[in-house]
Amino acid sequence: MKFSIITQTNRIKMSVLSENRADEATQQMRYAAVEGKNVLFITCFLAKLLYDRDLPMLKKVAAMKPNIHMVFGNTEDDEGLAQKFRDDGILTGEAIFADMSDDEKAGPNIAEACKATGVHFDAIFSPYEHAMFLVGEVGELLNIPCNPGTAYSAARDKRLARQVCEEKGVQTPRFGKVESASEIEAMVERIGLPLILKPSSGASSDGVYKCNTLEDVYKHFERVHGELTEAKYMAWNPGCEMVVLLEAYIDGDEFDVDVLMWEGECVYANAIDNWPTHEPYFMEEGSNCPSTYTGEKLESLHQYSIDCVKALGFVSGLFHVETKYSHIKDTPLLIEVNPRMGGGHTHLYHNEVWGVDLFTEFFMCSIGIPVNPPRAAVPNCAMGDFDIICAKTGIMQNVTWMDHLKENPSVVAYKVFAEEGDEVIGYDTEIPQWLGHYLVKSDDVHKTIKILKDLIPTFEPPIMEKKNRRPSTGRGIRRFSTAGAEGAAMIEN
């Protein structure tokens, strides 16, 4: 379905917007065109977890004076969250409450609740991973212009995404689903070892494991299969088939390519380098922007990501495409397509390095305004971050072990995740947790990477060993769930 062009501007402005130039004058017209739009904003359980991270970005779009009507669940917590959005000036229209507890009924329940308001919605929007399918489903049920529901279904289901891409001629790694332990051996025989085991739908690399042996596959299958029904962030996934996915391990460099599309064409794409993760648990460790890839390799990353987005059936929007550039095949291969802005420092990096506010572009595009942001011809700066992973299990003795970073002019901000007295879980137990995070900025990407790496040996987390330690059943303190780099404010220099 095509997005509608702005109707409340005069003919001259409509003509300029339709030309969709990447200049500042057109950008100001885009901002003005937001005013008065009735936007249906779908929340989910992530809204509370990511509130502090998202609030500055939401305030910017709210200042453009759209009428934002927000959908919540029907619990007391949701009522409190709605009031919080209202008090902060984000919820300017109706607060709509619907039963979202049942994956299959959530979309129809939301649509019925929206109809009861009598509001004619111009657009539908959500920044949350787990609400993406609902954007497509509710949009179609209410006849709101949006991408096809089938595109959101495919993006949220990693198995289906690979299948659709293959059918459209876009190369992907070998893959297959496993619903019971009895299917494992045959699937491993077909895919080969090493391989990746993960849920068919998830976020933040939760439940993702590298398996080098058949025994590894059986062990991690039992853990992930159980988490699919027990963990809320996995169990609540409207529109998704929740099974365990096996796929061929890709030996190569990992990237996040953020792609902005308008009516079938890419208007902006840039990559962030992801540093090698700590295997076998795929703990994120570092990233940098701009990419160190240049020329044809960088262009192939961009084009492959665009091809994946188009293959899934998307027309307009913002897409966070995770890929690996295979050293063996000399080509990018898909990890996943997320029809939203990426987490972590994605917004900050594109804003600082390229001068592009991805969240605002995502919002405008979702409500039918042509997007094509002005951007820097060369990087304005270079930024990078690093996560410190716990090496040993024990009790954290203090929170001052990163304070020497205050004296480093290249360090923009840092954050300690574990409080004094907290039990922390390290590699010596099993799945470790992140202890801290820091952010660096310079005028050159290679200089930024060197600063990040030179700082690593300076950290000595004060952990006292704990006797009779218990085995880990998860990753411990997560950034996305404990107000780390994606949540509460970091300490800024």
Side-chain angles (χ1 to χ4, degrees):
M1 181 184 297
K2 270 197 170 186
F3 287 78
S4 59
I5 302 299
I6 310 308
T7 57
Q8 67 263 50
T9 53
N10 59 39
R11 289 183 178 181
I12 296 175
K13 287 184 179 179
M14 285 178 65
S15 175
V16 172
L17 287 171
S18 297
E19 291 175 9
N20 204 23
R21 294 191 294 263
D23 58 46
E24 191 56 41
T26 306
Q27 190 75 348
Q28 292 304 314
M29 289 186 183
R30 294 184 184 109
Y31 295 158
V34 173
E35 184 173 356
K37 285 278 193 176
N38 280 317
V39 182
L40 181 62
F41 185 127
I42 299 181
T43 71
C44 68
F45 71 94
L46 288 174
K48 184 176 181 180
L49 296 172
L50 300 178
Y51 193 90
D52 292 333
R53 182 201 73 172
D54 291 348
L55 186 59
M57 298 180 287
L58 287 169
K59 282 189 171 183
K60 180 176 178 178
V61 297
M64 299 176 194
K65 299 181 181 179
N67 300 316
I68 301 178
H69 311 269
M70 302 186 76
V71 175
F72 302 90
N74 56 2
T75 69
E76 289 186 12
D77 284 348
D78 287 302
E79 291 178 6
L81 183 61
Q83 189 59 51
K84 195 173 183 181
F85 275 113
R86 178 85 68 188
D87 293 343
D88 283 326
I90 309 304
L91 174 55
T92 55
E94 298 281 343
I96 304 165
F97 298 94
D99 184 358
M100 297 164 64
S101 60
D102 187 312
D103 285 7
E104 294 184 3
K105 297 178 181 178
N109 288 346
I110 292 171
E112 287 305 310
C114 290
K115 289 176 183 177
T117 66
V119 176
H120 172 76
F121 299 103
D122 299 307
I124 186 166
F125 173 77
S126 180
Y128 309 118
E129 173 74 20
H130 289 66
M132 289 297 102
F133 172 78
L134 293 175
V135 169
E137 184 182 28
V138 175
E140 291 184 343
L141 289 171
L142 297 179
N143 199 30
I144 302 172
C146 64
N147 288 296
T150 53
Y152 289 105
S153 296
R156 285 289 294 137
D157 186 328
K158 296 178 178 66
R159 182 193 65 81
L160 185 56
R162 283 152 179 71
Q163 179 180 313
V164 172
C165 282
E166 278 195 348
E167 291 171 354
K168 298 292 178 64
V170 179
Q171 189 174 4
T172 67
R174 295 187 305 279
F175 68 94
K177 70 175 180 178
V178 175
E179 298 183 81
S180 69
S182 63
E183 300 172 345
I184 288 176
E185 194 163 347
M187 189 60 68
V188 171
E189 180 70 23
R190 185 172 75 81
I191 294 174
L193 291 167
L195 58 75
I196 303 301
L197 182 151
K198 59 187 174 184
S200 56
S201 180
S204 300
S205 296
D206 282 318
V208 180
Y209 301 96
K210 181 182 179 182
C211 301
N212 294 304
T213 67
L214 186 59
E215 289 72 24
D216 288 343
V217 180
Y218 279 110
K219 179 179 74 172
H220 295 310
F221 172 81
E222 291 302 323
R223 168 177 276 151
V224 174
H225 193 259
E227 288 180 347
L228 292 180
T229 56
E230 294 170 7
K232 183 175 183 179
Y233 58 87
M234 290 189 187
W236 194 83
N237 273 290
C240 298
E241 176 189 44
M242 293 306 294
V243 295
V244 175
L245 179 72
L246 303 183
E247 66 177 14
Y249 175 77
I250 306 168
D251 184 15
D253 302 320
E254 186 173 333
F255 301 86
D256 294 334
V257 182
D258 293 278
V259 177
L260 189 62
M261 302 280 292
W262 175 253
E263 294 198 338
E265 297 301 324
C266 175
V267 293
Y268 172 82
N270 264 309
I272 295 171
D273 296 353
N274 290 331
W275 292 17
T277 54
H278 259 287
E279 299 175 357
Y281 308 117
F282 291 91
M283 299 286 289
E284 297 166 7
E285 196 164 47
S287 68
N288 60 262
C289 183
S291 175
T292 56
Y293 271 33
T294 58
E296 291 183 2
K297 271 196 169 182
L298 180 60
E299 183 57 35
S300 71
L301 275 173
H302 292 175
Q303 189 57 54
Y304 178 82
S305 301
I306 296 164
D307 291 344
C308 288
V309 171
K310 289 184 175 182
L312 296 183
F314 288 106
V315 179
S316 298
L318 176 64
F319 306 92
H320 185 71
V321 185
E322 299 178 22
T323 69
K324 265 193 165 184
Y325 197 100
S326 170
H327 294 156
I328 296 173
K329 294 182 178 293
D330 193 29
T331 185
L333 291 172
L334 179 65
I335 298 175
E336 63 186 36
V337 175
N338 302 289
R340 57 165 174 82
M341 188 182 76
H345 293 303
T346 299
H347 178 264
L348 176 69
Y349 284 176
H350 286 269
N351 203 26
E352 291 287 319
V353 177
W354 300 108
V356 174
D357 181 347
L358 286 183
F359 191 89
T360 299
E361 298 299 325
F362 182 26
F363 185 82
M364 292 193 298
C365 187
S366 297
I367 66 175
I369 297 173
V371 289
N372 190 9
R375 79 291 310 258
V378 296
N380 293 320
C381 63
M383 301 193 75
D385 62 274
F386 190 81
D387 293 296
I388 301 157
I389 299 174
C390 188
K392 66 178 182 179
T393 299
I395 304 298
M396 181 61 68
Q397 299 301 292
N398 64 61
V399 296
T400 61
W401 56 277
M402 296 185 72
D403 284 354
H404 61 287
L405 296 181
K406 291 179 181 178
E407 309 303 320
N408 192 315
S410 298
V411 176
V412 176
Y414 67 95
K415 173 75 175 179
V416 175
F417 299 145
E419 300 293 334
E420 183 177 339
D422 282 355
E423 179 180 356
V424 293
I425 300 170
Y427 277 111
D428 57 345
T429 297
E430 194 177 9
I431 306 176
Q433 68 188 64
W434 288 292
L435 295 179
H437 178 87
Y438 58 100
L439 183 66
V440 162
K441 183 178 182 180
S442 80
D443 58 0
D444 175 78
V445 66
H446 298 288
K447 181 179 176 181
T448 291
I449 292 170
K450 184 177 187 304
I451 294 168
L452 286 167
K453 290 184 175 180
D454 286 348
L455 284 170
I456 296 172
T458 70
F459 301 109
E460 296 182 2
I463 299 170
M464 179 180 293
E465 184 177 357
K466 180 183 178 183
K467 295 181 180 180
N468 301 319
R469 58 180 181 259
R470 66 179 188 272
S472 168
T473 57
R475 297 193 183 205
I477 297 173
R478 298 303 309 272
R479 277 190 290 141
F480 96 95
S481 61
T482 59
E486 295 183 16
M490 298 171 72
I491 299 172
E492 297 183 358
N493 280 357

